[in-house]
Amino acid sequence: MKILQLDTNHHLITEQLTANGFQVDEDTVSSYHEILEKINNYDGIILRSRIPVDKNFLEAAENLKFIARVGAGMENIDTETAKNSGILLFNAPEGNRDAVAEHVLGMLLLLMNRLRICSDEVCNGIWKREENRSDELYGKTFGIIGYGNMGKAVAKRLAGFGVRVIFYDILPDLSDEFATQVSLGELKNEADVVSLHLPLTPETLFMIDEKFISEMKKDFYFINTARGKNVKTKDLVVALKSGKIKAAALDVLEYERSSFESLDEMNEDLQFLLQSEKALVTPHIAGWSHQSKEKMAQIIVDKILKKFRKQ
């Protein structure tokens, strides 16, 4: 089988697949249209997010048997057309869930304990104690929206913090030793913290908007390590200014490029987030640890070999 790798990934992908008789070519620089001209020569593709795999792409990929995404989300792939064409889809949410969970806790603790603020102050010769009192996580109710690989990993990390963990998910009967499933209405009534762990779908597009925020009973902390367009930034900024959202930890932004490699635009709302003490923004790196890079690559290789390795 001939496989085309479209992004730079851990070297074990090429090494292990080649050792098992696959031909692996790498093209991490050609444009979408240049890839389109040669994609019919390949049985499989391995990618992250650089090239969108849309209907036009899939129509040109006449011999494609699988698409493997070294990551979790599949929104850059026309999954319906792929499935209808008999193309298998692989991803690796198991590989970066631990990195995401640790990032969530790191960002939240940084905000609640004002660590960045007071550290910057001390570095500038400012010594404030009363103004930098923290808000304890202990005793709060932590609400998770989306209880898949990422949500479960976050709940597991919270086990030692003395918090009550609840979650909402469209699938039933997912409660476990780490968290209790509730309705979305109950989560809105009880959560002191809301953390998103959703795919981007028509149903979750801008799910967190003025209406959602106004329906939250308590003022709350907000965390998003899912997708930027799960949140309406303008409404988030209004809520931060009013205090309805106490602080926001954002690893993803509405204004990212689809490749996640940079911002697509800069505007007044984004400028506020970048300058506010009530917001912490990171560049889509929650799942981006040294360990997750290797784990995701290995998971993708294992899934390909399980299906296509010659017996």
Side-chain angles (χ1 to χ4, degrees), residues 221-290:
Y221 294 94
F222 178 70
I223 310 164
N224 188 14
T225 55
R227 289 293 182 261
K229 287 185 171 59
N230 291 138
V231 180
K232 195 67 179 173
T233 306
K234 185 173 293 294
D235 297 344
L236 173 70
V237 167
V238 170
L240 282 168
K241 289 178 177 179
S242 72
K244 183 63 182 178
I245 294 180
K246 293 181 177 181
L250 307 170
D251 183 55
V252 290
L253 294 165
E254 178 183 348
Y255 310 111
E256 285 179 76
R257 293 187 184 276
S258 60
S259 65
F260 309 140
E261 294 298 323
S262 62
L263 291 172
D264 204 24
E265 65 172 284
M266 181 63 69
N267 57 42
E268 185 178 346
D269 293 321
L270 185 53
Q271 286 282 8
F272 173 84
L273 292 175
L274 299 179
Q275 295 169 6
S276 174
E277 290 186 347
K278 298 171 70 175
L280 183 63
V281 181
T282 53
H284 204 131
I285 56 166
W288 211 248
S289 69
H290 294 292

Side-chain angles (χ1 to χ4, degrees), residues 157-174:
R157 295 305 186 287
L158 288 165
F161 280 84
V163 299
R164 176 185 177 224
V165 185
I166 59 177
F167 70 88
Y168 168 75
D169 196 285
I170 59 173
L171 298 177
D173 304 320
L174 297 178

Side-chain angles (χ1 to χ4, degrees), residues 1 3-5 13 16-17 20 22 24 43-47 66-70 88-91 296-311:
M1 294 183 70
I3 299 172
L4 180 61
Q5 191 163 202
I13 291 179
Q16 292 187 21
L17 290 177
N20 279 277
F22 294 82
V24 182
D43 302 291
I45 55 174
I46 299 172
L47 75 164
F66 74 84
I67 300 167
R69 177 158 193 270
V70 187
L88 295 177
L89 300 172
F90 304 127
N91 64 342
M296 287 191 294
Q298 189 63 64
I299 287 166
I300 287 298
V301 168
D302 291 345
K303 289 181 178 181
I304 293 171
L305 292 180
K306 183 177 180 181
K307 187 65 182 179
F308 293 105
R309 178 164 46 190
K310 294 179 180 179
Q311 302 299 320

Side-chain angles (χ1 to χ4, degrees), residues 21-304:
F22 294 82
Q23 177 184 325
V24 182
D25 297 336
E26 296 187 9
D27 187 340
T28 61
V29 296
S30 292
S31 68
Y32 170 90
H33 294 289
E34 290 169 333
I35 296 295
L36 219 61
E37 293 177 1
K38 63 180 181 180
I39 194 59
N40 66 326
N41 296 319
Y42 291 93
D43 302 291
I45 55 174
I46 299 172
L47 75 164
R48 293 203 313 268
S49 303
R50 187 176 70 86
I51 299 290
V53 182
D54 54 18
K55 186 175 182 180
N56 186 51
F57 185 104
L58 292 169
E59 287 175 349
E62 298 173 352
N63 297 305
L64 208 59
K65 297 177 179 64
F66 74 84
I67 300 167
R69 177 158 193 270
V70 187
M74 304 288 275
E75 69 272 13
N76 270 6
I77 300 168
D78 185 342
T79 56
E80 183 176 355
T81 297
K83 291 174 182 177
N84 290 339
S85 301
I87 299 171
L88 295 177
L89 300 172
F90 304 127
N91 64 342
E94 312 95 322
N96 64 351
R97 61 189 174 192
D98 296 319
V100 169
E102 292 185 17
H103 196 91
V104 166
L105 266 294
M107 293 182 85
L108 182 62
L109 293 172
L110 196 69
L111 281 172
M112 294 181 70
N113 291 278
R114 297 176 58 85
L115 297 180
R116 182 185 62 169
I117 297 168
C118 61
S119 177
D120 287 347
E121 288 176 350
V122 172
C123 289
N124 286 287
I126 301 169
W127 190 271
K128 293 182 179 179
R129 299 183 68 230
E130 184 60 38
E131 296 87 346
N132 283 310
R133 283 192 184 271
S134 63
D135 189 10
E136 294 182 11
L137 186 54
Y138 181 87
K140 289 184 169 54
T141 296
F142 193 107
I144 296 170
I145 301 181
Y147 204 61
N149 280 282
M150 312 304 173
K152 290 177 182 177
V154 170
K156 187 175 181 179
R157 295 305 186 287
L158 288 165
F161 280 84
V163 299
R164 176 185 177 224
V165 185
I166 59 177
F167 70 88
Y168 168 75
D169 196 285
I170 59 173
L171 298 177
D173 304 320
L174 297 178
S175 293
D176 58 24
E177 62 184 301
F178 301 111
T180 301
Q181 189 162 10
V182 298
S183 68
L184 187 57
E186 188 175 348
L187 185 144
K188 290 177 181 177
N189 283 334
E190 300 187 15
D192 300 288
V193 182
V194 173
S195 186
L196 290 192
H197 301 282
L198 299 165
L200 183 61
T201 68
E203 291 74 29
T204 65
L205 178 67
F206 298 131
M207 178 180 181
I208 308 303
D209 59 6
E210 180 183 11
K211 181 176 183 297
F212 182 102
I213 295 167
S214 68
E215 291 171 350
M216 290 291 296
K217 183 177 180 179
K218 303 177 183 178
D219 297 345
F220 65 102
Y221 294 94
F222 178 70
I223 310 164
N224 188 14
T225 55
R227 289 293 182 261
K229 287 185 171 59
N230 291 138
V231 180
K232 195 67 179 173
T233 306
K234 185 173 293 294
D235 297 344
L236 173 70
V237 167
V238 170
L240 282 168
K241 289 178 177 179
S242 72
K244 183 63 182 178
I245 294 180
K246 293 181 177 181
L250 307 170
D251 183 55
V252 290
L253 294 165
E254 178 183 348
Y255 310 111
E256 285 179 76
R257 293 187 184 276
S258 60
S259 65
F260 309 140
E261 294 298 323
S262 62
L263 291 172
D264 204 24
E265 65 172 284
M266 181 63 69
N267 57 42
E268 185 178 346
D269 293 321
L270 185 53
Q271 286 282 8
F272 173 84
L273 292 175
L274 299 179
Q275 295 169 6
S276 174
E277 290 186 347
K278 298 171 70 175
L280 183 63
V281 181
T282 53
H284 204 131
I285 56 166
W288 211 248
S289 69
H290 294 292
Q291 292 80 9
S292 70
K293 181 178 181 179
E294 182 172 353
K295 284 190 286 186
M296 287 191 294
Q298 189 63 64
I299 287 166
I300 287 298
V301 168
D302 291 345
K303 289 181 178 181
I304 293 171

